[in-house]
Amino acid sequence: MTSTGMNIRGIELRRVELPLVSPFRTSFSTQTERDVLLLRVETDDGEGWGECVAGEDPLYSSEYVDASADVLRRFLVPALSAYREGAGITSAIDVGQALAPVKGHRMAKAALEMAVLDAELRAQGRPLSRELGSVVDRVPSGVSVGIQDSIPRLLDAVGGYLAEGYVRIKLKIEPGWDLEPVRAVRERFGDDVLLQVDANTAYTLRDARHLARLDPFDLLLIEQPLEEEDVLGHAELARRIEMPVCLDESIVSAQTAAAAITLGACSIINIKPGRVGGYLEARRIHDLAVAHGVAVWCGGMLETGIGRAANAALAALPGFTLPGDISASGRFYATDITEPFVLDDGHIAVPTGPGLGVTPLPEILDEVTTTTEWIPLP
């Protein structure tokens, strides 16, 4: 990235509330709406947008949206201007170093880095996809299917998504909702459907024999079956089952990815930029995985069009060889805050405009906004 210097005047924290088109149930919660924290960075040359993917409650990870807003307000935003003995950052590449003294809070850090990246690249007329190293102009789109009330309801949902053109189906699973849903989907839709499962840490190594019963269904992968800190357990599980083990919650940095690969804990990594602290760290994980022959794909966190645009740019890198969770806006939202992303022949187009390539639609943004807060920088 070319550093041309930048002066950040201030940062707006904006909360918006968006209802989901249908409840989304995982092994740890059921969501019916999203309380989203957006960031708008204002510089001498323009503005940039970022999205924090932290949920309302600390259930997927230790982060939650109220805490993200608090740490941004009290620590992270002030850290930008305090960097280099008060000289401040000169480029988005400085953001990680400026925020490093604050432990954790990767989702909040990622949102701030995203907004600064967007502002800087917009001013330079450069798209994020090109900056990250994209090699395609569209990415294959998979869809995540939450836990349903019944098998017939699950089959209706999967059938609908396949009819829309999604190229890969991911089923959320938990103890008591695993073998039968997978079997039913395979029997109804056949072996040609790309199918994977996501446990969101719902199992333990004691369930290895049970999870091995999923092997005959020719799944692409099983995602994060064990607790996020149980990397050794995942390595042992990978030796006991045939389907590839993919890590999600366990991977929070390039360093943890390297450890997991070395230990044999995974052969696939789900890269979520918010979980790892930003898109620049996500690219480092991508490069590491490619060097070790480990496949990667881009996960989703029910993002609005802001985060979805950035994810599409990331997923256009060469190492993303599996379909990600970058679905159409309509999968989760009847009305998105940007121009909606639509499915075209099973793919989502990578934005080509400067920065993220999208901006919020003012009238829709105002309608869904619940609070705003302006933080000036000295």
Side-chain angles (χ1 to χ4, degrees):
M1 180 179 296
T2 302
S3 176
T4 58
M6 65 188 310
N7 179 50
I8 299 178
R9 297 174 178 173
I11 296 173
E12 178 186 75
L13 305 184
R14 179 183 290 258
R15 299 283 280 270
V16 303
E17 191 171 284
L18 292 171
L20 302 185
V21 294
S22 61
F24 185 63
R25 180 183 164 194
T26 66
S27 63
F28 59 86
S29 72
T30 299
Q31 287 185 262
T32 58
E33 62 183 15
R34 268 204 75 206
D35 176 8
V36 187
L37 173 61
L38 299 177
L39 278 66
R40 182 177 65 86
V41 168
E42 185 177 304
T43 75
D44 288 344
D45 299 313
E47 65 179 24
W49 288 87
E51 176 175 345
C52 182
V53 297
E56 189 171 355
D57 303 305
L59 300 176
Y60 168 79
S61 77
S62 61
E63 296 184 66
Y64 60 101
V65 67
D66 284 341
S68 294
D70 182 66
V71 76
L72 280 159
R73 181 187 305 114
R74 296 174 56 198
F75 299 103
L76 300 183
V77 172
L80 294 185
S81 56
Y83 186 59
R84 288 181 177 160
E85 298 181 347
I89 66 169
T90 60
S91 168
I93 60 176
D94 292 334
V95 173
Q97 276 296 111
L99 305 183
V102 179
K103 303 301 182 185
H105 298 282
R106 289 179 172 87
M107 294 178 181
K109 291 177 178 179
L112 187 51
E113 181 197 80
M114 186 198 303
V116 175
L117 260 175
D118 187 34
E120 181 174 5
L121 293 174
R122 281 184 191 280
Q124 297 175 3
R126 297 164 58 84
L128 175 63
S129 57
R130 187 174 70 183
E131 188 64 35
L132 293 176
S134 66
V135 294
V136 296
D137 59 8
R138 63 177 196 158
V139 294
S141 180
V143 67
S144 182
V145 184
I147 295 169
Q148 304 292 312
D149 294 336
S150 66
I151 295 295
R153 190 165 291 184
L154 170 68
L155 295 176
D156 286 345
V158 171
Y161 293 131
L162 290 174
E164 290 180 39
Y166 285 102
V167 300
R168 184 270 286 152
I169 300 294
K170 179 172 82 173
L171 303 181
K172 295 288 188 177
I173 62 171
E174 65 181 0
W177 182 267
D178 41 34
L179 295 176
E180 291 310 309
V182 171
R183 179 180 291 111
V185 169
R186 272 288 182 240
E187 290 177 352
R188 171 69 65 88
F189 301 105
D191 295 336
D192 292 336
V193 171
L194 297 180
L195 184 64
Q196 63 192 59
V197 294
D198 181 7
N200 289 116
T201 76
Y203 298 86
T204 72
L205 191 56
R206 293 189 297 274
D207 298 309
R209 182 173 296 181
H210 174 75
L211 292 173
R213 295 174 65 190
L214 290 169
D215 283 334
F217 296 108
D218 192 26
L219 300 178
L220 284 174
L221 57 90
I222 181 170
E223 184 181 350
Q224 197 68 42
L226 314 182
E227 282 291 334
E228 63 182 86
E229 296 181 0
D230 193 5
V231 178
L232 290 176
H234 280 101
E236 177 60 28
L237 179 65
R239 290 189 284 269
R240 298 191 193 181
I241 63 177
E242 296 176 6
M243 60 187 151
V245 171
C246 169
L247 290 183
D248 173 358
E249 287 93 329
S250 294
I251 306 301
V252 296
S253 64
Q255 185 177 25
T256 57
I261 293 170
T262 300
L263 292 169
C266 63
S267 54
I268 300 171
I269 292 175
N270 170 358
I271 300 180
K272 291 180 179 175
R275 194 193 64 236
V276 304
Y279 287 83
L280 301 183
E281 185 71 3
R283 182 173 61 181
R284 294 183 193 102
I285 295 172
H286 162 273
D287 295 347
L288 172 77
V290 169
H292 287 83
V294 172
V296 299
W297 56 282
C298 185
M301 295 285 286
L302 283 67
E303 290 90 349
T304 71
I306 297 294
R308 201 171 299 270
N311 285 353
L314 179 69
L317 270 64
F320 285 84
T321 55
L322 296 174
D325 284 340
I326 307 168
S327 53
S329 296
R331 163 63 185 95
F332 292 110
Y333 305 113
T335 303
D336 207 339
I337 61 172
T338 66
E339 289 293 342
F341 284 81
V342 295
L343 203 61
D344 181 13
D345 190 28
H347 290 70
I348 294 291
V350 178
T352 57
L356 299 179
V358 300
T359 54
L361 301 171
E363 65 279 6
I364 295 177
L365 186 63
D366 289 344
E367 185 177 322
V368 299
T369 293
T370 56
T371 64
T372 60
E373 177 183 355
W374 175 252
I375 306 173
L377 265 68

